[in-house]
Amino acid sequence: MFITLEGPEGSGKSSQIGLLTAYLREQGLAVVQTREPGGTRIGDQIRACLHDVANGEMTAVTEVLLYAASRAQHVEELIRPALAAGKIVLCDRFADSTIAYQGYGRALNLSDLHTLTRIATGGLSPHLTILLDIDVERGLARRQSGGDEMNRLDLEAVSFHQRVRQGYHALAANDPQRWVTINADRPKTNVQADLQRVVMDHLRQYQASLV
Ligand code: TMP
């Protein structure tokens, strides 16, 4: 089963996904935890280029092609083989980030982005996507106070991040079968408890659908 986590900056995704992976492994499940951009050796090189704050002159089209290139490598090298081996793949961001950040945030054409996504993923889509939702200013403040390293996109205006969040809300509303939204502006343990419940419920449904 392919599960992705999405959210605006400072939603706590990265630490929540680590806790979720540990929990699922304690249940005896085989889990591959990964992230985008990155997840492969080539993808990590692309990630470094994308996030480098020195690359301020990068155009929006260059940016989206690099995210797509990282994704193409990731799907082929890591995600598809893991799914074929019956593993659960937990991915910190996937193609929905491109629609939210490059589509809603940078205003690139959404239909072009869907085509690009299809090329990069070969049509692979997550079974479940969880949106860890948080108010943009709260999230950015959290990120700064957490001492996280600031990447090139973190430096964008608050209005950019607000469009990204609106994009996520639109994506979740358009596909309620795949998306579950969790309020991330709560204590870590409460968010984690909700994540575990949602994932276990969906895993049971998914396994039942296979028999
Ligand atoms: P993160 O791993 O710390 O969340 O950083 C990834 C950054 O890259 C984040 O700012 C969102 C951005 N991003 C895009 O703009 N488009 C994409 O397709 C992906 C995967 C990430």
Side-chain angles (χ1 to χ4, degrees):
M1 184 174 179
F2 184 26
I3 303 170
T4 57
L5 261 74
E6 295 282 352
E9 311 298 331
S11 61
K13 254 181 328 79
S14 304
S15 63
Q16 290 292 346
I17 203 171
L19 294 168
L20 181 61
T21 297
Y23 168 78
L24 294 173
R25 286 184 180 147
E26 277 164 24
Q27 313 305 305
L29 297 163
V31 180
V32 172
Q33 185 194 321
T34 185
R35 69 172 178 183
E36 287 206 353
T40 63
R41 193 180 61 82
I42 291 171
D44 283 337
Q45 290 174 31
I46 298 172
R47 182 183 179 94
C49 175
L50 275 163
H51 286 188
D52 189 343
V53 289
N55 288 339
E57 76 275 31
M58 187 181 292
T59 74
V61 174
T62 304
E63 179 181 281
V64 77
L65 292 173
L66 287 173
Y67 281 116
S70 166
R71 184 162 305 130
Q73 188 68 30
H74 195 202
V75 167
E76 202 61 29
E77 185 181 324
L78 190 119
I79 300 177
R80 279 196 194 276
L83 293 174
K87 295 181 181 161
I88 297 168
V89 176
L90 268 186
C91 191
D92 183 346
R93 298 193 182 281
F94 192 62
D96 296 301
S97 281
T98 292
I99 305 297
Y101 281 80
Q102 281 67 51
Y104 286 82
R106 299 256 188 253
L108 292 184
N109 181 280
L110 289 178
S111 138
D112 287 349
L113 294 186
H114 286 296
T115 304
L116 181 62
T117 293
R118 233 182 357 263
I119 294 168
T121 62
L124 180 73
S125 176
H127 299 100
L128 168 67
T129 298
I130 299 169
L131 172 59
L132 290 185
D133 192 34
I134 188 163
D135 171 78
V136 163
E137 298 195 45
R138 294 266 302 159
L140 289 171
R142 252 198 196 184
R143 208 169 152 115
Q144 274 151 8
S145 66
D148 290 349
E149 199 185 318
M150 291 285 127
N151 70 43
R152 203 172 43 80
L153 282 97
D154 294 324
L155 304 179
E156 287 291 332
V158 170
S159 57
F160 170 87
H161 293 287
Q162 272 159 351
R163 289 196 299 280
V164 170
R165 185 175 182 222
Q166 284 159 11
Y168 276 130
H169 289 172
L171 284 165
N174 283 341
D175 194 356
Q177 290 275 74
R178 172 162 72 90
W179 287 79
V180 174
T181 301
I182 291 178
N183 173 10
D185 195 4
R186 292 179 301 149
K188 226 176 172 175
T189 49
N190 298 22
V191 175
Q192 181 60 209
D194 281 1
L195 262 175
Q196 291 175 3
R197 184 181 42 76
V198 167
V199 167
M200 291 309 285
D201 282 354
H202 278 76
L203 272 173
R204 275 184 219 107
Q205 284 172 29
Y206 177 72
Q207 276 154 359
S209 76
L210 296 179
V211 289

